[in-house]
Amino acid sequence: GFESVSWRGLRIRNPDDDPPDWILSELVVPVLPFPCAGPTTLLRHEGYVHAYCVEDSERHEVYLLRWSESDFIAGDLEDPEWSTGSGWASTDPEALFDEGAADFTVSHDPFRDHFVLVQGLGYSGGFLADSLALRIASGVEGPFPKSDPFYSPPEIQVPEVVANSVRTHPQFGGADLIATYIASADLDQVRADPEIYYPRFLKLRFR
């Protein structure tokens, strides 16, 4: 398995160049108060950049921190604010919900004015998933209800294949929301089966 130890923040100085030519500089990042691999997903909303983090624990609790847009653009990440359940503060974060996935996305739907979280759900609370699920909230901090599974990838019918890297892409058109996932397995199986380990696309429509 995996163990979360710490995380790093890097600025790409020349993002328009080809990736092999990128120039990276290290940013000072906060020490998180719990084991975490760093922010799982970012959301820019109303003057802030919000980051959702999943604690590396049995319950996989999800926490939320934020920076002002100006601090984030400047690369000043050292002193974020945490969601405390009753506001924002530099200490005492409170979990938004548990059973968070290693990969998920929160996006704002401006037409319905709600926040849509799409994640994997299943084995280990979503770190290895057998279905895709969503949570819909009225605010960036929630409240996020219990996950509602909406799609079971057909690829998981193959033994040892799971779904991961679940993401949504609000910048794409053609549906209310576009989601992607990857059917994954161990390295030998990926090498032997060309039908797995590439992105699958889903069109989501909300009623």
Side-chain angles (χ1 to χ4, degrees):
F2 299 94
E3 180 184 2
S4 299
V5 178
S6 64
W7 68 293
R8 300 170 64 195
L10 299 172
R11 179 192 291 278
I12 302 171
R13 295 291 181 181
N14 52 335
D16 293 331
D17 292 349
D18 292 334
D21 299 324
W22 281 351
I23 299 172
L24 305 178
S25 59
E26 192 95 18
L27 301 175
V28 178
V29 297
V31 177
L32 301 182
F34 47 79
C36 174
T40 294
T41 185
L42 300 176
L43 174 66
R44 179 183 180 184
H45 185 67
E46 294 185 344
Y48 290 91
V49 176
H50 300 82
Y52 296 82
C53 299
V54 182
E55 183 176 2
D56 189 0
S57 66
E58 184 175 341
R59 294 181 58 193
H60 300 161
E61 291 112 324
V62 174
Y63 295 83
L64 179 62
L65 63 158
R66 72 179 185 181
W67 301 269
S68 68
E69 283 188 23
S70 59
D71 283 348
F72 192 86
I73 292 171
D76 184 5
L77 307 181
E78 194 169 5
D79 296 307
E81 293 181 311
W82 291 90
S83 174
T84 65
S86 59
W88 297 88
S90 59
T91 58
D92 300 323
E94 182 173 302
L96 304 183
F97 57 90
D98 56 17
E99 289 193 341
D103 298 296
F104 67 82
T105 310
V106 179
S107 58
H108 179 234
D109 182 344
F111 301 104
R112 299 167 183 82
D113 194 24
H114 60 208
F115 295 82
V116 181
L117 185 155
V118 177
Q119 67 170 80
L121 186 68
Y123 315 111
S124 301
F127 278 66
L128 300 173
D130 58 10
S131 63
L132 274 64
L134 59 80
R135 308 171 191 251
I136 296 178
S138 58
V140 68
E141 301 172 73
F144 287 95
K146 190 173 179 63
S147 291
D148 182 15
F150 67 89
Y151 182 74
S152 181
E155 296 83 10
I156 66 169
Q157 301 304 318
V158 178
E160 307 302 324
V161 173
V162 297
N164 63 17
S165 299
V166 177
R167 296 289 184 183
T168 56
H169 310 274
Q171 70 273 26
F172 292 171
D176 291 337
L177 192 61
I178 300 294
T180 57
Y181 68 94
I182 291 176
S184 180
D186 65 62
L187 186 57
D188 290 338
Q189 193 166 350
V190 169
R191 288 171 173 167
D193 187 350
E195 295 298 318
I196 59 177
Y197 213 76
Y198 64 87
R200 269 73 168 178
F201 286 77
L202 298 174
K203 291 183 176 182
L204 278 61
R205 298 193 182 278
F206 301 115
R207 298 176 179 176

PDB file of all heavy atoms in Angstrom, residues 70-107:
ATOM      1  N   SER A  70      -4.558  36.267  -4.157  1.00  0.00           N
ATOM      2  CA  SER A  70      -3.311  37.025  -4.279  1.00  0.00           C
ATOM      3  C   SER A  70      -2.144  36.275  -3.655  1.00  0.00           C
ATOM      4  O   SER A  70      -1.040  36.219  -4.229  1.00  0.00           O
ATOM      5  CB  SER A  70      -3.473  38.415  -3.652  1.00  0.00           C
ATOM      6  OG  SER A  70      -3.836  38.312  -2.278  1.00  0.00           O
ATOM      7  N   ASP A  71      -2.355  35.661  -2.468  1.00  0.00           N
ATOM      8  CA  ASP A  71      -1.287  34.876  -1.845  1.00  0.00           C
ATOM      9  C   ASP A  71      -0.940  33.658  -2.690  1.00  0.00           C
ATOM     10  O   ASP A  71       0.244  33.310  -2.851  1.00  0.00           O
ATOM     11  CB  ASP A  71      -1.705  34.426  -0.444  1.00  0.00           C
ATOM     12  CG  ASP A  71      -1.621  35.542   0.584  1.00  0.00           C
ATOM     13  OD1 ASP A  71      -1.033  36.596   0.277  1.00  0.00           O
ATOM     14  OD2 ASP A  71      -2.157  35.361   1.692  1.00  0.00           O
ATOM     15  N   PHE A  72      -1.961  33.002  -3.225  1.00  0.00           N
ATOM     16  CA  PHE A  72      -1.730  31.797  -4.010  1.00  0.00           C
ATOM     17  C   PHE A  72      -0.932  32.129  -5.274  1.00  0.00           C
ATOM     18  O   PHE A  72       0.027  31.436  -5.621  1.00  0.00           O
ATOM     19  CB  PHE A  72      -3.070  31.150  -4.379  1.00  0.00           C
ATOM     20  CG  PHE A  72      -2.936  29.759  -4.938  1.00  0.00           C
ATOM     21  CD1 PHE A  72      -2.874  28.664  -4.097  1.00  0.00           C
ATOM     22  CD2 PHE A  72      -2.879  29.549  -6.312  1.00  0.00           C
ATOM     23  CE1 PHE A  72      -2.750  27.381  -4.603  1.00  0.00           C
ATOM     24  CE2 PHE A  72      -2.757  28.267  -6.831  1.00  0.00           C
ATOM     25  CZ  PHE A  72      -2.691  27.183  -5.969  1.00  0.00           C
ATOM     26  N   ILE A  73      -1.316  33.194  -5.962  1.00  0.00           N
ATOM     27  CA  ILE A  73      -0.610  33.584  -7.180  1.00  0.00           C
ATOM     28  C   ILE A  73       0.835  33.960  -6.870  1.00  0.00           C
ATOM     29  O   ILE A  73       1.762  33.667  -7.632  1.00  0.00           O
ATOM     30  CB  ILE A  73      -1.351  34.751  -7.867  1.00  0.00           C
ATOM     31  CG1 ILE A  73      -2.697  34.255  -8.415  1.00  0.00           C
ATOM     32  CG2 ILE A  73      -0.509  35.352  -8.997  1.00  0.00           C
ATOM     33  CD1 ILE A  73      -3.600  35.361  -8.915  1.00  0.00           C
ATOM     34  N   ALA A  74       1.043  34.603  -5.717  1.00  0.00           N
ATOM     35  CA  ALA A  74       2.391  34.993  -5.318  1.00  0.00           C
ATOM     36  C   ALA A  74       3.226  33.807  -4.829  1.00  0.00           C
ATOM     37  O   ALA A  74       4.440  33.937  -4.628  1.00  0.00           O
ATOM     38  CB  ALA A  74       2.324  36.054  -4.221  1.00  0.00           C
ATOM     39  N   GLY A  75       2.586  32.640  -4.641  1.00  0.00           N
ATOM     40  CA  GLY A  75       3.297  31.478  -4.120  1.00  0.00           C
ATOM     41  C   GLY A  75       3.480  31.498  -2.626  1.00  0.00           C
ATOM     42  O   GLY A  75       4.292  30.752  -2.071  1.00  0.00           O
ATOM     43  N   ASP A  76       2.703  32.327  -1.939  1.00  0.00           N
ATOM     44  CA  ASP A  76       2.780  32.436  -0.481  1.00  0.00           C
ATOM     45  C   ASP A  76       1.778  31.466   0.143  1.00  0.00           C
ATOM     46  O   ASP A  76       0.630  31.814   0.419  1.00  0.00           O
ATOM     47  CB  ASP A  76       2.485  33.875  -0.053  1.00  0.00           C
ATOM     48  CG  ASP A  76       2.637  34.096   1.448  1.00  0.00           C
ATOM     49  OD1 ASP A  76       3.071  33.152   2.139  1.00  0.00           O
ATOM     50  OD2 ASP A  76       2.300  35.197   1.922  1.00  0.00           O
ATOM     51  N   LEU A  77       2.223  30.243   0.387  1.00  0.00           N
ATOM     52  CA  LEU A  77       1.326  29.168   0.828  1.00  0.00           C
ATOM     53  C   LEU A  77       1.510  28.795   2.295  1.00  0.00           C
ATOM     54  O   LEU A  77       0.828  27.891   2.790  1.00  0.00           O
ATOM     55  CB  LEU A  77       1.550  27.913  -0.031  1.00  0.00           C
ATOM     56  CG  LEU A  77       1.481  28.076  -1.549  1.00  0.00           C
ATOM     57  CD1 LEU A  77       1.691  26.731  -2.223  1.00  0.00           C
ATOM     58  CD2 LEU A  77       0.155  28.692  -1.972  1.00  0.00           C
ATOM     59  N   GLU A  78       2.379  29.487   2.991  1.00  0.00           N
ATOM     60  CA  GLU A  78       2.804  29.018   4.313  1.00  0.00           C
ATOM     61  C   GLU A  78       1.728  29.135   5.381  1.00  0.00           C
ATOM     62  O   GLU A  78       1.704  28.359   6.340  1.00  0.00           O
ATOM     63  CB  GLU A  78       4.047  29.784   4.752  1.00  0.00           C
ATOM     64  CG  GLU A  78       4.766  29.162   5.926  1.00  0.00           C
ATOM     65  CD  GLU A  78       6.120  29.791   6.168  1.00  0.00           C
ATOM     66  OE1 GLU A  78       6.465  30.779   5.482  1.00  0.00           O
ATOM     67  OE2 GLU A  78       6.850  29.294   7.058  1.00  0.00           O
ATOM     68  N   ASP A  79       0.800  30.099   5.239  1.00  0.00           N
ATOM     69  CA  ASP A  79      -0.166  30.363   6.316  1.00  0.00           C
ATOM     70  C   ASP A  79      -1.602  30.332   5.786  1.00  0.00           C
ATOM     71  O   ASP A  79      -2.249  31.372   5.654  1.00  0.00           O
ATOM     72  CB  ASP A  79       0.117  31.722   6.960  1.00  0.00           C
ATOM     73  CG  ASP A  79       1.466  31.764   7.639  1.00  0.00           C
ATOM     74  OD1 ASP A  79       1.737  30.888   8.471  1.00  0.00           O
ATOM     75  OD2 ASP A  79       2.257  32.671   7.306  1.00  0.00           O
ATOM     76  N   PRO A  80      -2.146  29.153   5.516  1.00  0.00           N
ATOM     77  CA  PRO A  80      -3.529  29.069   5.053  1.00  0.00           C
ATOM     78  C   PRO A  80      -4.521  29.203   6.205  1.00  0.00           C
ATOM     79  O   PRO A  80      -4.142  29.171   7.382  1.00  0.00           O
ATOM     80  CB  PRO A  80      -3.610  27.666   4.446  1.00  0.00           C
ATOM     81  CG  PRO A  80      -2.667  26.873   5.302  1.00  0.00           C
ATOM     82  CD  PRO A  80      -1.535  27.819   5.633  1.00  0.00           C
ATOM     83  N   GLU A  81      -5.782  29.338   5.850  1.00  0.00           N
ATOM     84  CA  GLU A  81      -6.872  29.250   6.817  1.00  0.00           C
ATOM     85  C   GLU A  81      -7.552  27.896   6.664  1.00  0.00           C
ATOM     86  O   GLU A  81      -7.668  27.372   5.561  1.00  0.00           O
ATOM     87  CB  GLU A  81      -7.903  30.360   6.569  1.00  0.00           C
ATOM     88  CG  GLU A  81      -7.408  31.761   6.825  1.00  0.00           C
ATOM     89  CD  GLU A  81      -8.508  32.779   6.579  1.00  0.00           C
ATOM     90  OE1 GLU A  81      -9.165  32.715   5.506  1.00  0.00           O
ATOM     91  OE2 GLU A  81      -8.725  33.638   7.443  1.00  0.00           O
ATOM     92  N   TRP A  82      -8.021  27.354   7.794  1.00  0.00           N
ATOM     93  CA  TRP A  82      -8.708  26.068   7.814  1.00  0.00           C
ATOM     94  C   TRP A  82     -10.195  26.272   8.090  1.00  0.00           C
ATOM     95  O   TRP A  82     -10.574  27.147   8.861  1.00  0.00           O
ATOM     96  CB  TRP A  82      -8.129  25.167   8.902  1.00  0.00           C
ATOM     97  CG  TRP A  82      -6.739  24.686   8.627  1.00  0.00           C
ATOM     98  CD1 TRP A  82      -5.569  25.288   8.989  1.00  0.00           C
ATOM     99  CD2 TRP A  82      -6.374  23.488   7.935  1.00  0.00           C
ATOM    100  NE1 TRP A  82      -4.498  24.547   8.564  1.00  0.00           N
ATOM    101  CE2 TRP A  82      -4.967  23.431   7.915  1.00  0.00           C
ATOM    102  CE3 TRP A  82      -7.107  22.456   7.332  1.00  0.00           C
ATOM    103  CZ2 TRP A  82      -4.263  22.387   7.323  1.00  0.00           C
ATOM    104  CZ3 TRP A  82      -6.410  21.417   6.736  1.00  0.00           C
ATOM    105  CH2 TRP A  82      -5.014  21.380   6.728  1.00  0.00           C
ATOM    106  N   SER A  83     -11.002  25.424   7.492  1.00  0.00           N
ATOM    107  CA  SER A  83     -12.415  25.381   7.847  1.00  0.00           C
ATOM    108  C   SER A  83     -12.556  24.709   9.209  1.00  0.00           C
ATOM    109  O   SER A  83     -12.085  23.578   9.406  1.00  0.00           O
ATOM    110  CB  SER A  83     -13.213  24.614   6.792  1.00  0.00           C
ATOM    111  OG  SER A  83     -14.549  24.440   7.197  1.00  0.00           O
ATOM    112  N   THR A  84     -13.212  25.399  10.145  1.00  0.00           N
ATOM    113  CA  THR A  84     -13.326  24.900  11.516  1.00  0.00           C
ATOM    114  C   THR A  84     -14.723  24.391  11.860  1.00  0.00           C
ATOM    115  O   THR A  84     -14.973  23.976  12.987  1.00  0.00           O
ATOM    116  CB  THR A  84     -12.961  26.007  12.519  1.00  0.00           C
ATOM    117  OG1 THR A  84     -13.926  27.069  12.415  1.00  0.00           O
ATOM    118  CG2 THR A  84     -11.571  26.554  12.245  1.00  0.00           C
ATOM    119  N   GLY A  85     -15.643  24.448  10.903  1.00  0.00           N
ATOM    120  CA  GLY A  85     -17.023  24.085  11.190  1.00  0.00           C
ATOM    121  C   GLY A  85     -17.871  25.268  11.579  1.00  0.00           C
ATOM    122  O   GLY A  85     -19.099  25.234  11.446  1.00  0.00           O
ATOM    123  N   SER A  86     -17.234  26.345  12.057  1.00  0.00           N
ATOM    124  CA  SER A  86     -17.965  27.559  12.427  1.00  0.00           C
ATOM    125  C   SER A  86     -17.337  28.797  11.802  1.00  0.00           C
ATOM    126  O   SER A  86     -17.675  29.918  12.166  1.00  0.00           O
ATOM    127  CB  SER A  86     -17.999  27.719  13.950  1.00  0.00           C
ATOM    128  OG  SER A  86     -16.686  27.791  14.472  1.00  0.00           O
ATOM    129  N   GLY A  87     -16.405  28.595  10.880  1.00  0.00           N
ATOM    130  CA  GLY A  87     -15.728  29.708  10.232  1.00  0.00           C
ATOM    131  C   GLY A  87     -14.367  29.275   9.731  1.00  0.00           C
ATOM    132  O   GLY A  87     -14.157  28.104   9.390  1.00  0.00           O
ATOM    133  N   TRP A  88     -13.428  30.232   9.692  1.00  0.00           N
ATOM    134  CA  TRP A  88     -12.088  29.968   9.197  1.00  0.00           C
ATOM    135  C   TRP A  88     -11.071  30.462  10.219  1.00  0.00           C
ATOM    136  O   TRP A  88     -11.240  31.514  10.824  1.00  0.00           O
ATOM    137  CB  TRP A  88     -11.862  30.680   7.865  1.00  0.00           C
ATOM    138  CG  TRP A  88     -12.770  30.198   6.779  1.00  0.00           C
ATOM    139  CD1 TRP A  88     -14.021  30.661   6.478  1.00  0.00           C
ATOM    140  CD2 TRP A  88     -12.496  29.144   5.866  1.00  0.00           C
ATOM    141  NE1 TRP A  88     -14.544  29.955   5.424  1.00  0.00           N
ATOM    142  CE2 TRP A  88     -13.634  29.025   5.024  1.00  0.00           C
ATOM    143  CE3 TRP A  88     -11.418  28.302   5.653  1.00  0.00           C
ATOM    144  CZ2 TRP A  88     -13.711  28.099   3.999  1.00  0.00           C
ATOM    145  CZ3 TRP A  88     -11.483  27.366   4.633  1.00  0.00           C
ATOM    146  CH2 TRP A  88     -12.615  27.276   3.820  1.00  0.00           C
ATOM    147  N   ALA A  89     -10.010  29.676  10.427  1.00  0.00           N
ATOM    148  CA  ALA A  89      -8.977  30.045  11.389  1.00  0.00           C
ATOM    149  C   ALA A  89      -7.668  29.381  10.982  1.00  0.00           C
ATOM    150  O   ALA A  89      -7.638  28.471  10.127  1.00  0.00           O
ATOM    151  CB  ALA A  89      -9.377  29.630  12.802  1.00  0.00           C
ATOM    152  N   SER A  90      -6.581  29.801  11.600  1.00  0.00           N
ATOM    153  CA  SER A  90      -5.266  29.247  11.267  1.00  0.00           C
ATOM    154  C   SER A  90      -5.004  27.912  11.962  1.00  0.00           C
ATOM    155  O   SER A  90      -4.005  27.242  11.656  1.00  0.00           O
ATOM    156  CB  SER A  90      -4.164  30.250  11.646  1.00  0.00           C
ATOM    157  OG  SER A  90      -4.218  30.551  13.029  1.00  0.00           O
ATOM    158  N   THR A  91      -5.874  27.527  12.900  1.00  0.00           N
ATOM    159  CA  THR A  91      -5.710  26.271  13.638  1.00  0.00           C
ATOM    160  C   THR A  91      -7.066  25.589  13.797  1.00  0.00           C
ATOM    161  O   THR A  91      -8.100  26.116  13.391  1.00  0.00           O
ATOM    162  CB  THR A  91      -5.105  26.520  15.036  1.00  0.00           C
ATOM    163  OG1 THR A  91      -5.962  27.419  15.757  1.00  0.00           O
ATOM    164  CG2 THR A  91      -3.717  27.119  14.934  1.00  0.00           C
ATOM    165  N   ASP A  92      -7.046  24.415  14.404  1.00  0.00           N
ATOM    166  CA  ASP A  92      -8.259  23.671  14.793  1.00  0.00           C
ATOM    167  C   ASP A  92      -9.165  23.337  13.608  1.00  0.00           C
ATOM    168  O   ASP A  92     -10.364  23.647  13.619  1.00  0.00           O
ATOM    169  CB  ASP A  92      -9.056  24.446  15.840  1.00  0.00           C
ATOM    170  CG  ASP A  92      -8.263  24.710  17.096  1.00  0.00           C
ATOM    171  OD1 ASP A  92      -7.487  23.818  17.499  1.00  0.00           O
ATOM    172  OD2 ASP A  92      -8.389  25.809  17.661  1.00  0.00           O
ATOM    173  N   PRO A  93      -8.635  22.666  12.564  1.00  0.00           N
ATOM    174  CA  PRO A  93      -9.509  22.269  11.458  1.00  0.00           C
ATOM    175  C   PRO A  93     -10.506  21.205  11.892  1.00  0.00           C
ATOM    176  O   PRO A  93     -10.230  20.401  12.784  1.00  0.00           O
ATOM    177  CB  PRO A  93      -8.532  21.707  10.420  1.00  0.00           C
ATOM    178  CG  PRO A  93      -7.361  21.240  11.227  1.00  0.00           C
ATOM    179  CD  PRO A  93      -7.246  22.219  12.359  1.00  0.00           C
ATOM    180  N   GLU A  94     -11.677  21.226  11.265  1.00  0.00           N
ATOM    181  CA  GLU A  94     -12.700  20.218  11.519  1.00  0.00           C
ATOM    182  C   GLU A  94     -13.017  19.506  10.214  1.00  0.00           C
ATOM    183  O   GLU A  94     -13.163  20.140   9.159  1.00  0.00           O
ATOM    184  CB  GLU A  94     -13.966  20.865  12.078  1.00  0.00           C
ATOM    185  CG  GLU A  94     -15.064  19.851  12.403  1.00  0.00           C
ATOM    186  CD  GLU A  94     -16.245  20.492  13.117  1.00  0.00           C
ATOM    187  OE1 GLU A  94     -16.026  21.082  14.192  1.00  0.00           O
ATOM    188  OE2 GLU A  94     -17.367  20.402  12.587  1.00  0.00           O
ATOM    189  N   ALA A  95     -13.131  18.179  10.287  1.00  0.00           N
ATOM    190  CA  ALA A  95     -13.386  17.397   9.080  1.00  0.00           C
ATOM    191  C   ALA A  95     -14.751  17.736   8.487  1.00  0.00           C
ATOM    192  O   ALA A  95     -15.728  17.921   9.219  1.00  0.00           O
ATOM    193  CB  ALA A  95     -13.305  15.901   9.390  1.00  0.00           C
ATOM    194  N   LEU A  96     -14.808  17.784   7.162  1.00  0.00           N
ATOM    195  CA  LEU A  96     -16.077  18.018   6.468  1.00  0.00           C
ATOM    196  C   LEU A  96     -16.897  16.740   6.373  1.00  0.00           C
ATOM    197  O   LEU A  96     -18.117  16.767   6.521  1.00  0.00           O
ATOM    198  CB  LEU A  96     -15.822  18.547   5.054  1.00  0.00           C
ATOM    199  CG  LEU A  96     -14.983  19.818   4.904  1.00  0.00           C
ATOM    200  CD1 LEU A  96     -14.916  20.206   3.432  1.00  0.00           C
ATOM    201  CD2 LEU A  96     -15.557  20.947   5.735  1.00  0.00           C
ATOM    202  N   PHE A  97     -16.233  15.634   6.090  1.00  0.00           N
ATOM    203  CA  PHE A  97     -16.895  14.330   5.974  1.00  0.00           C
ATOM    204  C   PHE A  97     -15.812  13.266   5.964  1.00  0.00           C
ATOM    205  O   PHE A  97     -14.613  13.578   5.901  1.00  0.00           O
ATOM    206  CB  PHE A  97     -17.764  14.241   4.707  1.00  0.00           C
ATOM    207  CG  PHE A  97     -17.029  14.489   3.418  1.00  0.00           C
ATOM    208  CD1 PHE A  97     -16.428  13.454   2.712  1.00  0.00           C
ATOM    209  CD2 PHE A  97     -16.957  15.772   2.890  1.00  0.00           C
ATOM    210  CE1 PHE A  97     -15.761  13.684   1.528  1.00  0.00           C
ATOM    211  CE2 PHE A  97     -16.283  16.019   1.692  1.00  0.00           C
ATOM    212  CZ  PHE A  97     -15.683  14.976   1.015  1.00  0.00           C
ATOM    213  N   ASP A  98     -16.210  11.993   6.046  1.00  0.00           N
ATOM    214  CA  ASP A  98     -15.243  10.902   5.952  1.00  0.00           C
ATOM    215  C   ASP A  98     -15.492  10.097   4.681  1.00  0.00           C
ATOM    216  O   ASP A  98     -16.330  10.463   3.863  1.00  0.00           O
ATOM    217  CB  ASP A  98     -15.270  10.017   7.199  1.00  0.00           C
ATOM    218  CG  ASP A  98     -16.641   9.458   7.505  1.00  0.00           C
ATOM    219  OD1 ASP A  98     -17.511   9.467   6.605  1.00  0.00           O
ATOM    220  OD2 ASP A  98     -16.860   9.002   8.646  1.00  0.00           O
ATOM    221  N   GLU A  99     -14.745   9.024   4.515  1.00  0.00           N
ATOM    222  CA  GLU A  99     -14.765   8.207   3.301  1.00  0.00           C
ATOM    223  C   GLU A  99     -14.395   9.032   2.062  1.00  0.00           C
ATOM    224  O   GLU A  99     -14.973   8.892   0.998  1.00  0.00           O
ATOM    225  CB  GLU A  99     -16.122   7.513   3.087  1.00  0.00           C
ATOM    226  CG  GLU A  99     -16.395   6.390   4.059  1.00  0.00           C
ATOM    227  CD  GLU A  99     -17.567   5.523   3.632  1.00  0.00           C
ATOM    228  OE1 GLU A  99     -18.375   5.970   2.804  1.00  0.00           O
ATOM    229  OE2 GLU A  99     -17.662   4.396   4.138  1.00  0.00           O
ATOM    230  N   GLY A 100     -13.411   9.911   2.238  1.00  0.00           N
ATOM    231  CA  GLY A 100     -12.899  10.633   1.084  1.00  0.00           C
ATOM    232  C   GLY A 100     -12.013   9.737   0.241  1.00  0.00           C
ATOM    233  O   GLY A 100     -11.385   8.799   0.749  1.00  0.00           O
ATOM    234  N   ALA A 101     -11.953  10.017  -1.045  1.00  0.00           N
ATOM    235  CA  ALA A 101     -11.135   9.225  -1.956  1.00  0.00           C
ATOM    236  C   ALA A 101      -9.777   9.883  -2.139  1.00  0.00           C
ATOM    237  O   ALA A 101      -9.596  11.073  -1.875  1.00  0.00           O
ATOM    238  CB  ALA A 101     -11.836   9.090  -3.304  1.00  0.00           C
ATOM    239  N   ALA A 102      -8.811   9.090  -2.604  1.00  0.00           N
ATOM    240  CA  ALA A 102      -7.495   9.648  -2.874  1.00  0.00           C
ATOM    241  C   ALA A 102      -7.553  10.673  -4.000  1.00  0.00           C
ATOM    242  O   ALA A 102      -6.768  11.615  -4.038  1.00  0.00           O
ATOM    243  CB  ALA A 102      -6.523   8.526  -3.228  1.00  0.00           C
ATOM    244  N   ASP A 103      -8.462  10.475  -4.939  1.00  0.00           N
ATOM    245  CA  ASP A 103      -8.653  11.395  -6.053  1.00  0.00           C
ATOM    246  C   ASP A 103     -10.127  11.769  -6.138  1.00  0.00           C
ATOM    247  O   ASP A 103     -10.981  10.886  -6.279  1.00  0.00           O
ATOM    248  CB  ASP A 103      -8.230  10.751  -7.381  1.00  0.00           C
ATOM    249  CG  ASP A 103      -6.762  10.392  -7.406  1.00  0.00           C
ATOM    250  OD1 ASP A 103      -5.938  11.320  -7.344  1.00  0.00           O
ATOM    251  OD2 ASP A 103      -6.440   9.198  -7.497  1.00  0.00           O
ATOM    252  N   PHE A 104     -10.422  13.043  -6.054  1.00  0.00           N
ATOM    253  CA  PHE A 104     -11.783  13.513  -6.314  1.00  0.00           C
ATOM    254  C   PHE A 104     -11.709  14.967  -6.739  1.00  0.00           C
ATOM    255  O   PHE A 104     -10.660  15.611  -6.671  1.00  0.00           O
ATOM    256  CB  PHE A 104     -12.704  13.325  -5.097  1.00  0.00           C
ATOM    257  CG  PHE A 104     -12.365  14.173  -3.898  1.00  0.00           C
ATOM    258  CD1 PHE A 104     -12.772  15.502  -3.811  1.00  0.00           C
ATOM    259  CD2 PHE A 104     -11.660  13.638  -2.828  1.00  0.00           C
ATOM    260  CE1 PHE A 104     -12.481  16.273  -2.699  1.00  0.00           C
ATOM    261  CE2 PHE A 104     -11.357  14.404  -1.706  1.00  0.00           C
ATOM    262  CZ  PHE A 104     -11.772  15.730  -1.647  1.00  0.00           C
ATOM    263  N   THR A 105     -12.816  15.489  -7.213  1.00  0.00           N
ATOM    264  CA  THR A 105     -12.877  16.876  -7.661  1.00  0.00           C
ATOM    265  C   THR A 105     -14.144  17.521  -7.114  1.00  0.00           C
ATOM    266  O   THR A 105     -15.195  16.889  -7.073  1.00  0.00           O
ATOM    267  CB  THR A 105     -12.890  16.971  -9.199  1.00  0.00           C
ATOM    268  OG1 THR A 105     -11.834  16.194  -9.741  1.00  0.00           O
ATOM    269  CG2 THR A 105     -12.710  18.411  -9.655  1.00  0.00           C
ATOM    270  N   VAL A 106     -14.015  18.774  -6.696  1.00  0.00           N
ATOM    271  CA  VAL A 106     -15.167  19.594  -6.339  1.00  0.00           C
ATOM    272  C   VAL A 106     -15.245  20.726  -7.348  1.00  0.00           C
ATOM    273  O   VAL A 106     -14.265  21.423  -7.594  1.00  0.00           O
ATOM    274  CB  VAL A 106     -15.045  20.167  -4.917  1.00  0.00           C
ATOM    275  CG1 VAL A 106     -16.253  21.044  -4.593  1.00  0.00           C
ATOM    276  CG2 VAL A 106     -14.908  19.042  -3.893  1.00  0.00           C
ATOM    277  N   SER A 107     -16.404  20.892  -7.959  1.00  0.00           N
ATOM    278  CA  SER A 107     -16.594  21.976  -8.923  1.00  0.00           C
ATOM    279  C   SER A 107     -17.874  22.732  -8.597  1.00  0.00           C
ATOM    280  O   SER A 107     -18.806  22.177  -8.014  1.00  0.00           O
ATOM    281  CB  SER A 107     -16.648  21.427 -10.364  1.00  0.00           C
ATOM    282  OG  SER A 107     -17.679  20.475 -10.505  1.00  0.00           O
TER     283      SER A 107
END
